[in-house]
Amino acid sequence: MNRTWNNRAWFMVLPVLVLVAFSAVIPLMTVVNYSVQDTFGNNQFFWAGTEWYEDVLSSDRFWNSMARNLAFSAIILAIEVPLGIFVALNMPKKGWGVPVCLVLMALPLLIPWNVVGTIWQVFGRVDIGLLGYVANALGFDYNYVSDPFDAWVTVIVMDVWHWTSLVVLLCYAGLVSIPDAYYQAARIDGASRLAIFRFIQLPKMNRVLLIAVLLRFMDSFMIYTEPFVVTGGGPGNTTTFLSIDLVKLAIGEFNLGEAAAMSIIYFLIILLMSWVFYTVMTNVDSEK
Amino acid sequence: MLELRNVSKVVSGDAHVRDVSLTLQHGSLNVLLGPTLSGKTSLMRLMAGLDQPTSGAVFFDGADVTGLPVQKRNVAMVYQQFINYPAMTVYENIASPLRVAGRDRETIDRQVRRAAELLRLTPYLDRTPLNLSGGQQQRTALARAMVKNAGLVLLDEPLANLDYKLREELRAELPRIFAESGAIFVYATTEPHEALLLGGHTATLSEGRVTQFGPTIEVFRQPADLVTARTFSDPPLNTVELGKSGGAFHLDGGATVPAPESLADGRYTIGFQPHHLSLTRAGPAAVAVRARVGVSEITGSETFIHLDHAGQRWVLLAHGIHHLATDEVIDVFIDTRHLMVFDADGRAVAMPAQLMA
Amino acid sequence: MAQIELDHIRHAYGPAPKSDADFALKEVHHTFRDGGAYALLGPSGCGKTTLLNIISGLLHASEGRLLFDGQDVSRLSTQERNIAQVFQFPVVYDTMTVYDNLAFPLRNRGIAEPDVDRKVREILEMIDLGDWAKRKARGLTADQKQKISLGRGLVRSDVNAILFDEPLTVIDPHMKWVLRSQLKQLHRRFGHTMVYVTHDQTEALTFADDVVVMYEGEVVQIGTPDELFARPRHTFVGYFIGSPGMNVLPVSVEGARAKFGDAWIDLPDRPRGPMGGAIELGIRPEFVQLGRHDGMPAEIVKVEDIGRHKIVRAKLQDHAISAILREDEEVPSEPRVRFAPEAINIYAGSWRVDYETEGEGVSA
């Protein structure tokens, strides 16, 4: 907690500060710059004030994408957190099963985003994909290219497959740190399985759950690669999330000012939501 | 010589160490005695240089080392947990500080074997720590601290995780091991009994303050104040608040204890150890007091009798085995030759020797 | 509350134990009577925790039966055995209030809320936590948490036994005294059968009516504190109980006298023969008398003044020996050592030999 103050230590941090400045702060300032000006190339800029922001906030397109994002994150959290906890609770606590489970769980996490997207893109295809073919052979009318519902299901299942492991691993780390005596005491007190979960396991997982929820929220809210690869935002605009929309706006339509304003709003929303999650969860924690 | 001058440590508004001044000599054994959270570990961290004091200064052999980080100081530490390198043999564990210091092979071998001999580890040099008992693991950690030849060796409750009997054995050996080295030893413990067995000097701590520092047996026999006396008593010190007038202390129930004439009339607290309270009148200096019997605990050769005197919890230590009925009201006898007297502010006013004179 | 019967119990952790050495717990055959306070005392690895776990149902013994009030519970789970346990490190439900912690075991068993309330309030008073009822359990001190652990056992009026696994380990010395005496009072008041595991002789002796001393998986003696002190059945008991432990010296015995080096020591009586194995004399430091005139000359090595008495470490014919002197006793400059004859025990092959006047089998 209270280590010796060592002034030289600050020099060690300096390279990181410089790197962060170049990689994050300066681009961010550029974006801010674009968002309050209008340009037609040739390095000509015109002051636009809050116009872009007003445009973004009053466009249906933005709010539709935003609604899709919120819905997606809500669904992802609602599935991955309980599922992650459930899997973690059922993982072996000792013996040879532990390393096997851990490796299996870590596998999806090691696969790059666009590869995951490609895997599912192929996997779900009606003509050559195993999933698509089997589903149709069994009589389900599954086609993520034409059916918005199927497209959503595909994107969600893909994310659950990719990221539930993270929640599992975090929860598992919390669970194994609970001393055996707690379980023994609960058995002696006649606690039900549910009571053990509610009064021992959940409180002890509190902190790791906070981290899991935060990470999964931020990540799912910024989802881009996988739906881009699988559905390209379609059919129609049904899987066009803010990030995809943003790219369309900036690169497809070369509307830099509006895109910049949108990314600032996007960034602030993520910051705000993360802060809300953090405060709510730490408050719950300290109240107890 | 390690000197702390008016050292304080405040962590986010909480004073962990309050205005401590101590001077510790080379070749001395110094016990820090106090309950959990009394500031023992915080004080040790300041001595080691792991933390910086909020105010005050630390001097080592006359040089100000206040800002010096722990790596630059010649300090060894032993913790309550047995901390060794699990993958190395006992030999390599002990040799590790010497290897870091770049000693030659013969010197290392000689010093490791000497330390192992001193700590009775010679038969286990080729084993790894996890194949040793807790006592042997802690001996390994101690041996490593010894060979480091540090000017300051800090031991933070090193025996707390050992069995009672192992603790007793190692505790009896420690003073001899310490005597072999010229270092300053600082030993933190919560147990008064341990401080007495180790001897040396003792600093009693309470709420971050050093309440008294001196030769262990003197601090025990002549505590400067009530807080020190309580900290240094196990079983807990028996106390009673009473008034003094006309050359005597007046206890509840009419009993009186002669008091020195020099003492002003007023309210006082008297304290006495459980073995200075007895079931039978030991001599002319004994005063009878009525008390209600709580539980009796038999240790084999002795009996601890818990008593209630006017709402005060007392413990009486009697030789032999006594079965007393709970809630019975009996006469017990205070040996007034060993009274400790404290004024209204808790300062000691008349010590046993003075009272007897 | 129940009588606990350990019927020829043995336990090995590995499969198919063959020799005696494979058993972590060698055969125990003993009955803990209803309402008794027992301590299992021994160093780490002696099997005391194994035995406790067998009673609690955490382990199922590889051999033998466990009976509560005559009923075989060997194969029952911890819940079904209806016991309570206090662990080494306090176990409380952090997110609950003190009150809810105590109510938990009752609510789990579907007891009506008015009865829960009455019982919880009664116990809260008893363990001095009445003022803390509404506080969350997480902010409490270690001793308060231990009292909650104990309270969760006490609220269930029907528990067969309360088990303690080194419950005072994390408690400061001053609080140990308070907790110990409270525990004793509670035992007296409720009369639960209690089994207390510890390596600390003071805790064991002060708590228990009967102490079970264990060593290397074996019960070496079961006795009252004074029996263990006065008549240790095995030299290990003599060493393990008492601070410092019993002095053990090699001797040879002739009649009612023992020969130690070139000195003769009077025994209270003739040991009952025949004696096999190495013969040793055991005498506790409390009964080693240091005088100026009578006895064997000794050389003082060290005197430890520990306040209420002095521990004298001396050399007697090249053997280390300890003696205890009262606070006001002086250490003679040229001391002579005498042993109080009635306090001498004779051991053959580490086991105590009865004196002829002692009855058969009362060698406890």
Side-chain angles (χ1 to χ4, degrees):
Chain A
M1 294 175 289
N2 35 71
R3 302 278 149 182
T4 313
W5 194 256
N6 190 337
N7 288 321
R8 271 199 321 192
W10 286 101
F11 290 104
M12 310 282 187
V13 188
L14 204 60
V16 175
L17 290 178
V18 171
L19 215 72
V20 169
F22 273 97
S23 68
V25 179
I26 293 173
L28 187 67
M29 293 323 290
T30 319
V31 174
V32 171
N33 204 16
Y34 275 115
S35 74
V36 293
Q37 301 185 76
D38 200 355
T39 180
F40 305 103
N42 295 337
N43 246 356
Q44 285 183 295
F45 287 93
F46 303 93
W47 177 252
T50 58
E51 244 173 71
W52 290 128
Y53 290 92
E54 285 161 28
D55 278 1
V56 169
L57 291 173
S58 62
S59 84
D60 285 344
R61 178 175 163 182
F62 172 78
W63 288 110
N64 286 338
S65 301
M66 169 68 101
R68 281 191 282 272
N69 256 48
L70 285 175
F72 181 71
S73 289
I75 293 170
I76 288 300
L77 287 181
I79 296 175
E80 291 184 8
V81 171
L83 183 64
I85 292 174
F86 179 78
V87 174
L89 287 175
N90 288 293
M91 270 173 64
K93 299 288 179 301
K94 52 184 119 179
W96 58 268
V98 175
V100 172
C101 282
L102 288 179
V103 169
L104 278 179
M105 283 297 145
L107 273 181
L109 299 176
L110 302 174
I111 305 172
W113 290 259
N114 55 343
V115 175
V116 172
T118 313
I119 292 176
W120 282 83
Q121 206 257 350
V122 175
F123 189 47
R125 274 173 68 161
V126 181
D127 49 355
I128 54 167
L130 184 63
L131 177 66
Y133 183 81
V134 170
N136 280 288
L138 289 175
F140 294 102
D141 182 20
Y142 170 84
N143 189 340
Y144 64 80
V145 183
S146 59
D147 187 335
F149 180 77
D150 289 351
W152 267 78
V153 169
T154 310
V155 174
I156 287 167
V157 169
M158 179 172 60
D159 196 272
V160 168
W161 176 80
H162 195 184
W163 289 112
T164 303
S165 301
L166 180 76
V167 183
V168 172
L169 292 180
L170 283 168
C171 290
Y172 185 73
L175 283 176
V176 290
S177 69
I178 302 174
D180 260 352
Y182 279 83
Y183 294 113
Q184 292 168 31
R187 271 157 64 189
I188 288 168
D189 290 337
S192 63
R193 188 72 197 79
L194 186 70
I196 291 177
F197 174 69
R198 166 75 185 79
F199 296 112
I200 296 174
Q201 292 170 322
L202 198 57
K204 297 278 169 189
M205 280 195 293
N206 221 334
R207 274 158 207 287
V208 286
L209 269 182
L210 169 67
I211 297 169
V213 168
L214 267 183
L215 285 178
R216 284 318 300 134
F217 168 73
M218 287 191 290
D219 240 28
S220 61
F221 206 72
M222 294 186 291
I223 183 109
Y224 174 74
T225 318
E226 298 98 318
F228 183 76
V229 172
V230 179
T231 64
N237 273 335
T238 48
T239 55
T240 301
F241 298 107
L242 279 172
S243 55
I244 296 179
D245 206 17
L246 188 59
V247 174
K248 277 185 188 165
L249 201 60
I251 298 168
E253 304 166 22
F254 208 69
N255 199 341
L256 288 185
E258 195 174 345
M262 192 171 152
S263 27
I264 298 286
I265 294 170
Y266 193 11
F267 172 68
L268 289 178
I269 288 170
I270 294 178
L271 211 61
L272 178 78
M273 296 288 279
S274 302
W275 179 80
V276 169
F277 272 115
Y278 182 81
T279 326
V280 168
M281 294 193 69
T282 42
N283 269 352
V284 169
D285 194 44
S286 62
E287 250 174 48
K288 282 167 181 172
Chain B
M1 194 167 76
L2 178 73
E3 219 181 318
L4 304 183
R5 294 188 192 160
N6 306 100
V7 167
S8 295
K9 176 75 183 174
V10 181
V11 180
S12 46
D14 267 354
H16 290 190
V17 174
R18 299 168 202 248
D19 192 28
V20 168
S21 295
L22 274 181
T23 305
L24 311 180
Q25 304 292 342
H26 281 289
S28 67
L29 168 60
N30 308 279
V31 181
L32 302 180
L33 173 67
T36 315
L37 299 181
S38 60
K40 303 184 299 293
T41 305
S42 302
L43 193 56
M44 284 196 152
R45 293 178 62 88
L46 293 176
M47 290 177 176
L50 285 164
D51 289 333
Q52 274 236 316
T54 312
S55 63
V58 182
F59 287 79
F60 195 82
D61 287 339
D64 188 342
V65 294
T66 314
L68 211 59
V70 64
Q71 299 89 327
K72 296 261 179 79
R73 302 193 195 180
N74 193 8
V75 178
M77 264 188 113
V78 178
Y79 302 86
Q80 184 177 339
Q81 296 79 14
F82 316 137
I83 299 174
N84 294 300
Y85 301 105
M88 293 186 189
T89 60
V90 170
Y91 185 100
E92 284 305 319
N93 260 289
I94 303 174
S96 59
L98 298 170
R99 296 225 194 272
V100 171
R103 296 285 143 73
D104 63 86
R105 187 192 290 251
E106 274 107 274
T107 315
I108 291 177
D109 193 64
R110 200 176 58 244
Q111 293 203 25
V112 169
R113 291 194 185 281
R114 210 177 123 243
E117 197 58 42
L118 198 62
L119 283 148
R120 305 181 190 200
L121 285 168
T122 309
Y124 314 109
L125 282 174
D126 294 330
R127 294 206 204 166
T128 54
L130 294 180
N131 293 314
L132 298 177
S133 71
Q136 289 159 344
Q137 288 185 39
Q138 195 62 320
R139 281 168 192 269
T140 307
L142 282 166
R144 197 172 56 238
M146 304 306 299
V147 296
K148 195 175 175 192
N149 207 14
L152 177 62
V153 182
L154 302 166
L155 306 114
D156 195 356
E157 299 189 44
L159 307 184
N161 281 4
L162 295 176
D163 274 3
Y164 187 93
K165 264 289 156 177
L166 274 172
R167 221 181 276 179
E168 196 175 287
E169 280 174 16
L170 206 49
R171 195 190 282 139
E173 283 176 49
L174 282 177
R176 181 178 59 88
I177 295 163
F178 294 160
E180 290 265 315
S181 148
I184 301 169
F185 285 89
V186 181
Y187 188 111
T189 181
T190 59
E191 291 181 31
H193 189 61
E194 186 152 278
L196 286 165
L197 280 163
L198 288 168
H201 286 63
T202 291
T204 44
L205 275 92
S206 172
E207 293 169 357
R209 220 180 281 283
V210 168
T211 59
Q212 192 172 350
F213 179 60
T216 302
I217 194 73
E218 263 176 43
V219 178
F220 175 77
R221 291 237 162 84
Q222 288 153 26
D225 51 37
L226 191 53
V227 177
T228 306
R230 285 193 200 279
T231 308
F232 216 145
S233 298
D234 184 39
L237 187 74
N238 299 320
T239 58
V240 58
E241 266 187 64
L242 36 62
K244 187 235 166 209
S245 60
F249 295 118
H250 299 274
L251 283 142
D252 280 0
T256 59
V257 175
E261 281 304 325
S262 56
L263 222 54
D265 288 356
R267 298 298 293 176
Y268 289 90
T269 300
I270 61 171
F272 47 93
Q273 301 289 348
H275 65 285
H276 292 142
L277 190 59
S278 53
L279 292 170
T280 51
R281 187 180 292 277
V287 171
V289 185
R290 293 191 78 69
R292 196 158 49 83
V293 176
V295 296
S296 307
E297 300 179 307
I298 294 157
T299 68
S301 58
E302 295 169 326
T303 309
F304 289 114
I305 301 162
H306 293 250
L307 300 165
D308 182 306
H309 172 80
Q312 296 280 334
R313 222 184 253 278
W314 283 359
V315 180
L316 180 154
L317 173 61
H319 279 278
I321 288 156
H322 304 268
H323 293 281
L324 295 167
T326 305
D327 289 335
E328 191 184 345
V329 176
I330 58 167
D331 271 335
V332 291
F333 300 87
I334 304 172
D335 186 345
T336 59
R337 291 172 304 168
H338 297 281
L339 279 191
M340 302 172 191
V341 182
F342 306 95
D343 66 17
D345 299 325
R347 305 295 309 169
V349 287
M351 285 299 110
Q354 294 146 307
L355 200 63
M356 284 165 70
Chain C
M1 284 154 268
Q3 164 182 297
I4 301 173
E5 225 172 307
L6 306 162
D7 180 11
H8 297 280
I9 281 186
R10 285 213 289 183
H11 188 71
Y13 284 98
K18 289 177 197 73
S19 71
D20 227 26
D22 292 338
F23 286 92
L25 183 67
K26 304 200 174 73
E27 186 171 301
V28 187
H29 185 72
H30 191 72
T31 301
F32 293 150
R33 68 170 187 285
D34 187 6
Y38 294 86
L40 307 181
L41 173 70
S44 41
C46 72
K48 58 187 191 293
T49 305
T50 305
L51 184 52
L52 191 78
N53 288 344
I54 287 172
I55 298 173
S56 75
L58 212 58
L59 272 180
H60 294 288
S62 12
E63 287 176 25
R65 295 188 310 155
L66 180 74
L67 300 105
F68 286 180
D69 277 340
Q71 200 188 339
D72 192 340
V73 296
S74 313
R75 295 290 137 198
L76 296 188
S77 70
T78 302
Q79 279 123 305
E80 293 164 323
R81 291 186 189 190
N82 203 11
I83 44 111
Q85 187 162 355
V86 179
F87 297 89
Q88 185 171 10
F89 295 99
V91 174
V92 296
Y93 304 106
D94 283 342
T95 55
M96 294 187 204
T97 60
V98 172
Y99 182 98
D100 288 337
N101 258 281
L102 296 191
F104 190 59
L106 298 179
R107 288 175 178 158
N108 285 333
R109 288 169 172 79
I111 292 175
E113 205 54 34
D115 294 334
V116 171
D117 187 64
R118 190 177 41 78
K119 195 74 204 176
V120 169
R121 291 194 185 284
E122 180 193 346
I123 300 300
L124 276 172
E125 281 317 308
M126 213 95 60
I127 57 177
D128 279 342
L129 286 176
D131 299 340
W132 299 76
K134 291 198 169 59
R135 291 276 293 268
K136 293 273 182 195
R138 79 160 38 153
L140 304 184
T141 57
D143 54 283
Q144 288 171 326
K145 287 184 180 179
Q146 276 313 44
K147 285 206 265 188
I148 293 175
S149 296
L150 175 62
R152 285 206 312 268
L154 294 175
V155 289
R156 290 157 51 199
S157 31
D158 61 336
V159 289
N160 282 322
I162 303 181
L163 312 180
F164 299 85
D165 188 2
E166 315 216 357
L168 298 184
T169 307
V170 293
I171 309 293
D172 270 349
H174 279 80
M175 279 321 292
K176 279 185 188 172
W177 286 88
V178 179
L179 280 193
R180 261 166 40 197
S181 79
Q182 284 187 344
L183 183 56
K184 252 200 137 112
Q185 268 161 352
L186 290 171
H187 178 247
R188 186 155 300 165
R189 175 146 179 195
F190 288 103
H192 285 106
T193 310
M194 292 187 175
V195 182
Y196 188 115
V197 160
T198 179
H199 62 81
D200 185 319
Q201 48 164 304
T202 314
E203 283 177 35
L205 297 169
T206 53
F207 170 79
D209 307 328
D210 277 308
V211 178
V212 179
V213 185
M214 300 183 66
Y215 178 52
E216 293 183 346
E218 199 173 350
V219 172
V220 283
Q221 187 169 4
I222 301 175
T224 62
D226 43 318
E227 281 166 356
L228 296 179
F229 185 81
R231 296 278 177 264
R233 216 160 77 79
H234 190 277
T235 48
F236 174 78
V237 180
Y239 151 82
F240 202 76
I241 286 173
S243 284
M246 185 172 72
N247 297 299
V248 177
L249 305 167
V251 292
S252 55
V253 170
E254 276 177 35
R257 292 196 308 167
K259 188 160 193 269
F260 171 57
D262 49 16
W264 287 98
I265 298 165
D266 287 329
L267 302 180
D269 196 353
R270 301 158 71 91
R272 201 194 301 265
M275 293 187 281
I279 310 295
E280 287 164 313
L281 175 151
I283 179 91
R284 293 208 171 268
E286 286 82 352
F287 303 111
V288 175
Q289 297 153 354
L290 289 182
R292 285 176 210 289
H293 308 298
D294 292 344
M296 302 167 272
E299 182 193 336
I300 306 282
V301 178
K302 196 179 167 198
V303 180
E304 295 165 14
D305 187 346
I306 61 163
R308 72 184 168 89
H309 56 231
K310 298 187 184 90
I311 300 174
V312 180
R313 313 272 184 188
K315 243 184 185 166
L316 190 65
Q317 301 193 17
D318 282 337
H319 286 274
I321 179 166
S322 307
I324 288 183
L325 292 186
R326 301 257 192 119
E327 184 179 25
D328 40 12
E329 277 180 297
E330 294 285 324
V331 183
S333 54
E334 277 176 31
R336 288 179 165 269
V337 167
R338 241 189 110 253
F339 299 157
E342 66 283 0
I344 295 175
N345 292 298
I346 295 295
Y347 295 87
S350 298
W351 291 95
R352 183 169 182 275
V353 183
D354 285 350
Y355 291 117
E356 282 188 345
T357 43
E358 285 175 317
E360 282 294 342
V362 287
S363 64

